[in-house]
Amino acid sequence: MSIGSELTPSLPKSLQPTIVRLLIVVDVAADFELITTTLEAAGIVFIYDAATTPELYQQSLQNHTYDSVLSAYCLKTLSGMEALQLLQQSGQDIPFILVTDRLGDERAVECIKAGMTDYVLKEQLFRLPEVLTRAIQEGKQRKQQQLSLNQAKRQAQQEAIINHIVQAMRGTLVLDDVLQTTVNLLHKTLNVSRCLIFQPDSDNQMKAHHVSEATAQRESLIGVYCDFYRYYHETLSQGEPLVLAQIDASLPEVIQESAAVCDICAILIVPLLYHQSYLGGISLHQCGNQAVQSRQWTQDEVALVSAIATQCAIAIHQAQLFAKVQQQAEREKLLNQISRTLNSTLDTDEILQEIVTLTGECFNVDRVNIYSIDTEHIKTLNEWRCSEQVISALGMKSPVSEWTDRLDPSSEFSLHQVFHAPIYAETPQPAPRLAMMQQLQVVSILNAPIFIRNQLFGGLMLQTSTQRTFTPEEIQLLERIADQAAIALYNAQSYEYLEQLVRDRTQELEAQQQLSEAANQAKSEFLANMSHELRTPLTGILGFSRLLLEQIFGPLNDKQHQYVTGISSCGEHLLALINDLLDLSKIEAGREELSLEPITVEAICHECLSVVREQASEAGLQLQLDIAPAITSFVADHLRCKQILVNLLSNAVKFTESGSVTLKVEQTAEYTRFLVIDTGIGMSEADASSLFQPFHQLPNRSPRKYQGTGLGLALSLKLARLHGGDITIQSEEGRGSCFTLTLPHQIPN
């Protein structure tokens, strides 16, 4: 029966009055009416169940939750004290109020000690609403305090466990110790049947790595795989815990079967997640009869395990980083050892043996070998084995005809590329090859090719007798080691070839050096003698022609003046040719020495421009000077630098029919650059490439129109390089040229 259950039904829930649920234990109808009338008169909104027998009373307590129990003290079949005891046995912590005709002081004290909340005499029943209201409020406050206390205890417990794990993490770098401590603490704290931590194996399948020490038959669970992780992978990898209070028929069949095998009746899995990286999970199992047992995982328990999972994920991530750093250090150490071996000897066999030895120790495999491929066979050259029990493959040969599929560069399993087979027997292979690998007890293979001069020489192969999947980092490392092996083989082949070549070339060079020294000596003597012999009469010719042109001894007619001018011009040309030849000879013989000194940029530019100014004026050309700001000086041989610039400017004026010739100066932190820019005839790229050859003349140009010795640019280039610099050209036919003289600030000795 309910009273007031339909009052104010149209009001919002927040404004509806609080309904009190009561269990009234009386066996006299008048008492029911008296109690309910009193409560209604006081405005209390309530519903109630009536219990007149012990059985009905117990059944009500079992099936419903109440705010209070109102009981008569003396019933025909049940006393008030017995009613109180049954309430306490039910587990409901609610007020118990007696309604009685009389109650002595001793009896009242006895009831209060037993747990009674309060009592009301029938003659003072008007007090019942007040007593009931106060008792319910105090009960709620007591419950709230108890909840807060329990929450504080759970929070303290959670923090204590987390602190314990954090301290374990700080106290050791051994991840296994940290994770084992974690599962032990969770097992004890949450009172479960077992606690496990799963982590992915090399195939990314979740395997049990740590099991709480209090777990029954613990050793049999280490290394097992879990179908829960596979089936609920998407949920767990997103960071959502898996909470199953009971394994029943509503779950997938594979989960029911997996739970049955492990005797699991309830399970909680919290994923280990670090920055969206799925690192495994913590599993809590409650074991027993699945048909009758279950476990309600509370929010506090899930929160506790989640907080610990966060700490474990951090520890695993840090351990992985540390392991990667160590692995990288070991790999670099291995490569450095191999490099030192390459630099310490030219013995090919010694180097390759050291490579397979260091590789085997680094990768922790059963066998490492280096093999070669020739026109007929594939042969093992060098080998390392982890123990004498491993069968040797050294010296084994296999006909190339059995490897045609692997020698095809386009094949999926070609020896021209990295080949990785975690289970070699599952890859398509001819029967003889499979038989050979079975004889050698090979299960997994990692092979990296060795190329010499872009030709496949052979390969470096790792072999294991148990299944192993190599990581991308390990594959990359093996490729780098194969490159080192290729260098060793290339060096050995090159050294052999070079030794013979050096012997042959030494003999040739000795003969050539003798001839060259004799030729240089003869050339130097010839040029020195010819210089003296030619200069003496040439000086006389130039002197006499100058006197005739000055007409000191009488006037010359036009024809005479023309001939004498020709004699003087030819003499000057011949003298310039002799001087250039002597300069070239001295440079090539290594007898030219520079006299370095600081040179003012503006001064030397004006000197050089003054030399060609008259020639430019006669051709109607503009001479321009462009010196970048802040450029003051540089260091060079003044005479030779001027000689270079005059040669470049003279050429520019000579091959420019109209427009301008510009001398531009730029400077960087390392170089000073002189750019001679003209608007002349220019040249093709092919002509520019051979411009600096001695006696070179541009094709399709009239030598009479553009006269010169043909040695000026060749000499200028040699003088520039003697300074440690260079001369470059940019030109376009019909649009002019730009010659750039680059001189370094630091002149080589």
Side-chain angles (χ1 to χ4, degrees), residues 256-267:
Q256 295 182 54
E257 292 175 355
S258 181
V261 169
C262 297
D263 193 28
I264 300 172
C265 66
I267 187 169

Side-chain angles (χ1 to χ4, degrees), residues 477-489:
L477 176 60
L478 188 67
E479 289 183 282
R480 294 178 66 182
I481 297 173
D483 291 340
Q484 297 279 23
I487 293 172
L489 292 164

Side-chain angles (χ1 to χ4, degrees), residues 498-523:
L498 287 174
E499 271 192 324
Q500 183 59 44
L501 186 62
V502 166
R503 286 193 291 269
D504 296 341
R505 289 294 295 162
T506 299
Q507 295 177 357
E508 294 178 10
L509 289 173
E510 287 175 352
Q512 289 178 3
Q513 186 175 3
Q514 293 174 357
L515 291 174
S516 178
E517 289 175 355
N520 283 336
Q521 182 66 25
K523 183 172 69 173

Side-chain angles (χ1 to χ4, degrees), residues 520-718:
N520 283 336
Q521 182 66 25
K523 183 172 69 173
S524 298
E525 291 176 358
F526 170 77
L527 289 173
N529 293 333
M530 289 303 296
S531 171
H532 176 72
E533 296 299 330
L534 291 174
R535 283 174 184 268
T536 301
L538 188 56
T539 302
I541 292 171
L542 292 173
F544 290 138
S545 62
R546 192 176 299 110
L547 290 174
L548 290 173
L549 288 173
E550 292 175 358
Q551 302 187 38
I552 296 175
F553 303 104
L556 300 174
N557 58 37
D558 292 341
K559 185 61 71 176
Q560 291 171 335
H561 190 279
Q562 178 183 350
Y563 289 162
V564 173
T565 300
I567 292 170
S568 178
S569 176
C570 291
E572 293 288 351
H573 181 77
L574 183 57
L575 181 60
L577 182 60
I578 292 171
N579 289 334
D580 288 347
L581 280 171
L582 286 173
D583 287 341
L584 278 173
S585 177
K586 288 166 71 175
I587 293 173
E588 290 174 351
R591 293 189 289 111
E592 176 67 25
E593 294 184 1
L594 299 177
S595 178
L596 302 177
E597 59 180 311
I599 302 173
T600 302
V601 173
E602 187 174 3
I604 194 171
C605 288
H606 283 298
E607 288 179 33
C608 296
L609 289 173
S610 66
V611 174
V612 299
R613 191 174 303 282
E614 183 177 353
Q615 182 184 358
S617 179
E618 291 177 357
L621 304 176
Q622 288 185 337
L623 283 182
Q624 298 175 351
L625 177 61
D626 180 7
I627 302 176
I631 298 178
T632 56
S633 63
F634 66 104
V635 176
D637 185 307
H638 186 281
L639 179 62
R640 293 309 190 184
C641 185
K642 180 179 177 181
Q643 184 178 356
I644 297 171
L645 290 175
V646 169
N647 272 336
L648 296 178
L649 288 167
S650 297
N651 269 352
V653 171
K654 185 194 316 180
F655 291 98
T656 303
E657 296 180 353
S658 62
S660 63
V661 173
T662 301
L663 176 58
K664 184 177 181 179
V665 187
E666 300 173 345
Q667 203 169 59
T668 66
E670 299 178 353
Y671 299 99
T672 299
R673 292 189 176 89
F674 296 85
L675 289 77
V676 177
I677 307 167
D678 64 59
T679 59
I681 61 176
M683 67 192 76
S684 66
E685 186 176 345
D687 291 340
S689 62
S690 58
L691 188 63
F692 293 97
Q693 298 298 322
F695 301 108
H696 176 76
Q697 295 286 341
L698 291 177
N700 302 322
R701 302 285 193 267
S702 171
R704 293 183 180 179
K705 184 175 182 181
Y706 304 110
Q707 293 184 358
T709 65
L711 294 175
L713 288 178
L715 177 59
S716 296
L717 180 61
K718 289 186 179 295

Side-chain angles (χ1 to χ4, degrees), residues 289-342:
N289 189 331
Q290 297 178 25
V292 297
Q293 291 197 21
S294 65
R295 168 154 183 170
Q296 298 298 325
W297 304 100
T298 68
Q299 291 184 352
D300 290 332
E301 289 174 333
V302 175
L304 170 63
V305 180
S306 297
I308 293 174
T310 299
Q311 297 298 324
C312 290
I314 293 173
I316 292 172
H317 176 72
Q318 290 176 340
Q320 289 176 344
L321 287 180
F322 183 70
K324 285 183 179 179
V325 170
Q326 283 189 316
Q327 289 173 358
Q328 186 61 33
E330 289 297 322
R331 290 164 185 165
E332 293 302 325
K333 179 181 177 182
L334 170 62
L335 292 172
N336 288 335
Q337 287 178 304
I338 294 175
S339 295
R340 285 196 297 271
T341 302
L342 290 176

Side-chain angles (χ1 to χ4, degrees), residues 100 385 632:
T100 182
R385 292 175 292 153
T632 56

